[in-house]
Amino acid sequence: MSTPVVLHGYHHSVYTWIARMVLVQADVTFDTVEENPFADPPVVVRKLHPFGRVPTLVHDDFVIFETTAISRYINREFANDTLTPDCAKAQARMDQVIAITDSYGYVPLVRQVFAHAVFRPWEGERVDPEQITAGIDAARPVLAALDRIAAEGHVLNAATITLADCHLAPMIGYFLQADEGRIVMEDVPALARWWDLIAHTPSLVATQPKRGVQST
Ligand SMILES: N[C@@H](CCC(=O)N[C@@H](CS)C(=O)NCC(=O)O)C(=O)O
């Protein structure tokens, strides 16, 4: 029997991983529909997402795209708001982590470093080493900013899981699969300590993309 919650996404997409992690963290039973936004042409994706990206969440007939909106909806609808902190300062830091990750982190961490150092070699696709170098350079100030937030301790403390953890952990999880990423992480000790703890969180581990999964 199908569930009322359906996540349309691409197995290897880091944003789809974030949505999966939030759903599992919120203990929501959900179905998935696999849609590869990089397929040519991405017809199916565009039916739900006007910008042709993933993920999109459908709850009954309510359709949401944009991962932060999806996460916040899941948190309010299914998790009794337990994935956002009560304190204003911690909330501000959580929002900062999510915005920093989206605005400055996604492209260098995932599209440049992970894609060119790890994913493209797996898939036998062309690799551009300059993308890895540029990604590492761009990742440094992002990780430094996140390190300061982790050191302060309002969020990214691994004591209480918030949407900041769910948004950042998949990105770092991908970045650290690259040798180059692991070297840079040595320069951000508070973030590295957070990662050592969050890496074992069941909702992150259970939703990790598996190498070799093919989608249409
Ligand atoms: N702002 C979007 C970003 C989603 C996004 O960029 N998803 C990637 C996969 S990780 C995608 O669909 N890319 C397709 C493309 O760039 O054409 C969100 O928060 O959901």
Side-chain angles (χ1 to χ4, degrees):
M1 207 174 77
S2 62
T3 70
V5 179
V6 181
L7 182 68
H8 295 249
Y10 170 49
H11 182 75
H12 300 288
S13 145
V14 76
Y15 280 106
T16 304
W17 186 4
I18 293 168
R20 281 198 301 266
M21 181 174 176
V22 176
L23 283 162
V24 171
Q25 191 66 36
D27 212 12
V28 179
T29 302
F30 62 101
D31 288 323
T32 57
V33 174
E34 188 68 6
E35 292 168 3
N36 182 355
F38 301 102
D40 188 18
V43 178
V44 182
V45 175
R46 282 199 188 281
K47 274 190 196 156
L48 285 178
H49 198 306
F51 306 104
R53 299 203 174 198
V54 290
T56 298
L57 189 84
V58 182
H59 180 204
D60 293 322
D61 55 1
F62 190 62
V63 178
I64 318 164
F65 61 86
E66 288 304 307
T67 304
T68 300
I70 293 170
S71 299
R72 286 181 182 275
Y73 178 78
I74 296 165
N75 173 52
R76 293 296 289 270
E77 182 73 8
F78 300 107
N80 204 22
D81 228 353
T82 51
L83 299 175
T84 55
D86 293 332
C87 148
K89 288 188 172 64
Q91 276 208 23
R93 291 295 188 238
M94 179 190 82
D95 290 341
Q96 270 189 291
V97 168
I98 293 170
I100 291 167
T101 303
D102 285 345
S103 304
Y104 316 112
Y106 167 60
V107 169
L109 298 173
V110 177
R111 296 299 290 266
Q112 292 182 300
V113 175
F114 170 72
H116 285 269
V118 181
F119 191 74
R120 283 169 171 262
W122 284 351
E123 299 285 301
E125 293 176 13
R126 191 185 63 81
V127 167
D128 181 354
E130 284 182 14
Q131 288 289 321
I132 302 173
T133 307
I136 290 292
D137 287 348
R140 284 184 195 282
V142 177
L143 297 178
L146 294 167
D147 188 57
R148 286 192 289 277
I149 291 176
E152 182 191 42
H154 284 301
V155 292
L156 304 185
N157 52 37
T160 311
I161 303 280
T162 72
L163 297 180
D165 299 276
C166 298
H167 216 87
L168 182 60
M171 300 259 180
I172 297 293
Y174 264 168
F175 182 68
L176 292 181
Q177 290 183 34
D179 295 341
E180 296 85 344
R182 288 195 294 279
I183 292 167
V184 176
M185 201 70 176
E186 290 171 10
D187 297 337
V188 284
L191 199 63
R193 272 196 301 279
W194 161 79
W195 173 254
D196 285 345
L197 296 170
I198 204 79
H200 304 290
T201 299
S203 59
L204 179 71
V205 175
T207 54
Q208 180 164 6
K210 293 174 188 58
R211 183 179 171 180
V213 169
Q214 300 289 327
S215 58
T216 47

